[in-house]
Amino acid sequence: EIMSTVPPLKIEIVKSGLLIKEVAERSGINMNYISAAVNGRMTLKPEYQMAIAKVLKRPVAKLFTDA
């Protein structure tokens, strides 16, 4: 199944209607970090995960499979 290869963070950002740039601005995290996490190239620190979860109004565990 194709959807299983898409990181949950990417799915939830799309569902939120926000751009990665907007998530970065609202969370105070560098857009490049979020982009790398969205594309599965990087694991974000827990404090970054929490900040993004707050912006997206989603539980950390729903956004990050390693949380």
Side-chain angles (χ1 to χ4, degrees):
E1 183 179 297
I2 292 171
M3 288 302 287
S4 65
T5 62
V6 178
L9 177 60
K10 187 173 200 167
I11 294 167
E12 294 300 325
I13 289 176
V14 170
K15 282 165 61 175
S16 77
L18 296 172
L19 300 172
I20 291 174
K21 178 183 176 196
E22 293 170 311
V23 175
E25 288 169 355
R26 293 180 189 191
S27 65
I29 300 167
N30 185 301
M31 189 172 91
N32 294 330
Y33 286 152
I34 298 175
S35 182
V38 161
N39 292 306
R41 295 190 313 264
M42 176 183 203
T43 301
L44 295 174
K45 294 191 273 187
E47 56 266 31
Y48 290 177
Q49 292 180 358
M50 286 188 280
I52 292 169
K54 189 174 180 183
V55 168
L56 296 176
K57 298 180 175 75
R58 303 279 194 283
V60 171
K62 186 171 176 86
L63 301 175
F64 303 96
T65 53
D66 57 347

